[in-house]
């Protein structure tokens, strides 16, 4: 494949030019942080799927190692504290971060009774794992059960949200029509809120504020903002239903302390749209895409990035204007994008690395946007990043899967 520089250099010869305003992408630097983690599904408590100052491969990466498993990818690979937590659909396994040797798993050998959905979340050496209809706190190193709390319903593609509270944290998770918060250390229930509909996705926390709001979405299309005591601040209805977890428009600055972004919340609708609401629940904008947004939305560098209908779309976080789009090919598994540095990583028939600037061109006619397309011998699904490496889960199409680590 020609290099990005060669493609850009050839634009004059073929007469393609960029027009200011409607064709512009987003500015971003390659990043300098080489020591970051991906500690939860969605990457952080905003579900932003982004490490804007992180380092990750910008050219066609090299496969460092792989791990084969039975089952199919069912959530983000979570990477933190020397450990990779991987949901295989029929099990949740802990692997050594360096050589991918197994440490422990939650299911018995040959499990065919349960399916597991979503991703765990990790804090202070504890993994919080949604296991069928029970939230289980496990020692990250050994897998020992520390406490568990059962729900009346199985979890549906959800992952725990960890909210810092003084020296500790709370764990917020939904199952059925119940959203519940537990003390992270003891499992004591802090509050419970019944919602009008089934909570099917991960929840997100608002930017740091006096309200400490938590956003939760139901499959029926209700978006809720719930405060620290479990009281509903507001709710809004998306008639076509909601197909993604709520994502807060926020990111940390290069100092890892300052917070940037509007604090708006975006969701993917069942009609192929992306909807944006401000922190008070006021609708801000709507963008209509082709197909359905599945798995999750990435936010960073003033952009909102969503995969839908075989394309990756880049939208303005301010007003929803489509900055650019590019073809990524069809996929049979969710392929939520991940943003690291100045590159969007997204699966499909191949693993793609795409610059946040979108190259140059008009709408889907682009040049220079793709940094690489990496063959993965199967369909690339979830991709996350940590310490400068990519962790991609692959559905092999033979009832099995593969975790691929690339650098």
């Amino acid at each position: 494949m020609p290099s990005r520089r060669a493609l850009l250099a050839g634009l004059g010869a073929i007469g393609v030019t960029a027009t200011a305003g409607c064709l512009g992408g987003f500015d971003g630097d390659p990043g300098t942080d080489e020591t970051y983690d991906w500690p939860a599904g969605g990457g952080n408590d905003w579900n932003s799927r982004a490490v804007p100052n992180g380092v990750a491969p910008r050219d066609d990466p090299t496969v460092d190692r792989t791990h084969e498993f039975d089952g199919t990818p069912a959530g983000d690979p979570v990477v933190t504290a020397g450990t990779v937590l991987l949901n295989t659909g029929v099990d949740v396994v802990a692997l050594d971060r360096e050589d991918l040797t197994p440490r422990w798993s939650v299911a018995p050998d040959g499990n065919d009774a349960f399916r597991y959905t979503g991703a765990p979340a990790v804090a202070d050496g504890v993994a919080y794992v949604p296991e069928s209809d029970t939230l289980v706190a496990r020692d990250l190193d050994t897998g020992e059960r520390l406490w568990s709390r059962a729900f009346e319903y199985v979890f549906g593609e959800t992952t725990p949200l960890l909210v810092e509270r003084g020296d500790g944290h709370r764990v917020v998770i939904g199952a059925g029509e119940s959203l519940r918060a537990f003390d992270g250390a003891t499992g004591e229930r802090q509050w419970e809120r019944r919602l009008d509909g089934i909570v099917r996705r991960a929840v997100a926390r608002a930017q740091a504020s006096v309200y400490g709001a938590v956003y939760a979405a139901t499959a029926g299309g209700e978006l809720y903002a719930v405060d620290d005591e479990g009281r509903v601040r507001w709710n809004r209805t998306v008639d076509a239903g909601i197909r993604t977890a709520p994502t807060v428009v926020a990111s940390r600055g290069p100092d890892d302390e300052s917070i940037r972004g509007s604090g708006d919340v975006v969701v993917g609708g069942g009609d192929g749209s992306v909807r944006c609401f401000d922190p008070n629940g006021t609708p801000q904008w709507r963008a209509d895409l082709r197909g359905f947004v599945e798995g999750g939305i990435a936010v960073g560098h003033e952009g909102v990035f969503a995969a839908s209908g075989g394309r990756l779309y880049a939208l303005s976080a301010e007003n929803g204007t489509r900055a650019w789009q590019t073809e990524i090919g069809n996929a049979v598994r969710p392929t939520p994008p991940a943003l690291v540095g100045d590159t969007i990583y997204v699966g499909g028939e191949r693993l793609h690395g795409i610059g946040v600037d979108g190259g140059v061109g008009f709408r889907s006619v682009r040049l220079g946007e793709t940094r690489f397309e990496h063959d993965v011998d199967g369909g690339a699904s979830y991709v996350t990043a940590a310490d400068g490496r990519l962790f991609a889960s692959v559905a092999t199409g033979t009832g099995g899967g593969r975790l691929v680590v690339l650098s």
Side-chain angles (χ1 to χ4, degrees):
M1 177 182 294
S3 70
R4 183 170 185 269
R5 178 175 296 177
L7 283 170
L8 292 173
L11 286 178
I14 62 176
V16 178
T17 59
T19 302
C22 65
L23 302 183
F26 303 99
D27 294 328
D29 296 324
T32 59
D33 185 0
E34 299 180 352
T35 58
Y36 58 92
D37 288 341
W38 194 282
N44 51 39
D45 52 354
W46 302 322
N47 283 336
S48 69
R49 306 192 59 79
V51 188
N53 193 44
V55 173
R58 302 175 77 251
D59 299 310
D60 195 5
T62 300
V63 175
D64 289 342
R65 48 200 177 276
T66 62
H67 172 77
E68 307 283 339
F69 58 85
D70 294 328
T72 55
D76 279 356
V78 168
V79 189
T80 184
T83 304
V84 180
L85 293 174
L86 179 66
N87 190 327
T88 69
V90 295
D91 199 356
V92 180
V93 298
L95 309 172
D96 183 270
R97 184 165 171 168
E98 291 304 314
D99 58 18
L100 299 185
T101 55
R103 290 181 178 175
W104 52 266
S105 71
V106 306
D109 293 339
N111 167 61
D112 59 6
F114 298 109
R115 291 199 61 81
Y116 301 92
T117 62
V122 176
D124 300 330
V126 178
Y128 300 93
V129 186
E131 301 180 22
S132 187
D133 60 354
T134 305
L135 175 65
V136 182
R138 295 180 178 271
D139 182 276
L140 182 61
D141 293 329
T142 66
E144 176 189 358
R145 224 181 232 243
L146 304 177
W147 55 260
S148 63
R149 296 294 179 267
F151 281 69
E152 295 78 15
Y153 302 88
V154 297
F155 295 107
E157 302 173 33
T158 190
T159 183
L161 167 70
L162 304 183
V163 178
E164 292 184 5
R165 296 281 294 177
D167 294 334
H169 55 272
R170 279 181 177 170
V171 188
V172 183
I173 192 168
E177 297 179 331
S178 296
L179 187 67
R180 294 173 183 165
F182 304 93
D183 181 90
T186 66
E188 178 184 357
R189 186 184 301 181
Q190 303 294 299
W191 53 259
E192 176 178 1
R193 171 58 52 188
R194 181 158 185 154
L195 306 180
D196 184 16
I198 305 298
V199 183
R200 291 293 305 276
R201 307 286 177 173
V203 292
R205 187 190 182 200
Q207 283 186 328
S209 70
V210 294
Y211 297 106
V214 168
Y215 297 113
T218 71
E222 296 297 319
L223 176 64
Y224 286 88
V226 180
D227 72 14
D228 262 351
E229 303 304 320
R231 296 171 297 211
V232 174
R233 289 179 54 198
W234 55 260
N235 71 290
R236 299 291 181 267
T237 302
V238 176
D239 291 335
I242 296 175
R243 299 176 71 104
T244 71
T247 296
V248 178
V249 180
S251 62
R252 296 196 181 278
D255 59 4
D256 204 35
E257 296 294 334
S258 61
I259 299 175
R260 301 174 175 180
S262 63
D264 294 344
V265 58
V266 293
V267 294
D271 54 0
S273 66
V274 175
R275 314 288 186 98
C276 178
F277 302 85
D278 75 8
N280 295 314
T282 304
Q284 296 300 292
W285 52 260
R286 166 180 174 158
D288 292 307
L289 313 182
R290 184 181 74 178
F292 300 106
V293 181
E294 296 282 4
I297 296 171
V299 168
H301 301 309
E302 301 181 351
V304 172
F305 303 90
S308 177
R311 294 175 177 176
L312 178 68
Y313 293 86
L315 311 172
S316 165
E318 180 180 4
N319 56 31
T321 301
R322 190 180 304 178
W324 54 263
Q325 66 191 51
T326 189
E327 301 286 340
I328 58 173
N330 294 324
V332 296
R333 298 285 168 187
T335 56
L339 185 159
V340 185
D342 64 349
T343 305
I344 304 291
Y345 302 93
V346 64
E349 296 173 352
R350 298 179 177 88
L351 176 63
H352 304 262
I354 299 169
V356 298
D357 60 4
V360 293
F362 180 74
R363 292 293 178 95
S364 60
V365 181
R366 315 293 304 178
L367 286 177
E369 82 282 8
T370 300
R371 302 195 192 283
F372 65 81
E373 292 182 349
H374 185 88
D375 288 322
V376 291
D377 190 23
S381 183
Y382 298 91
V383 56
T384 63
D387 287 351
R389 294 185 174 96
L390 301 176
F391 295 77
S393 57
V394 177
T396 61
T398 59
R402 178 185 305 113
L403 176 68
V404 183
V405 182
L406 308 103
S407 63

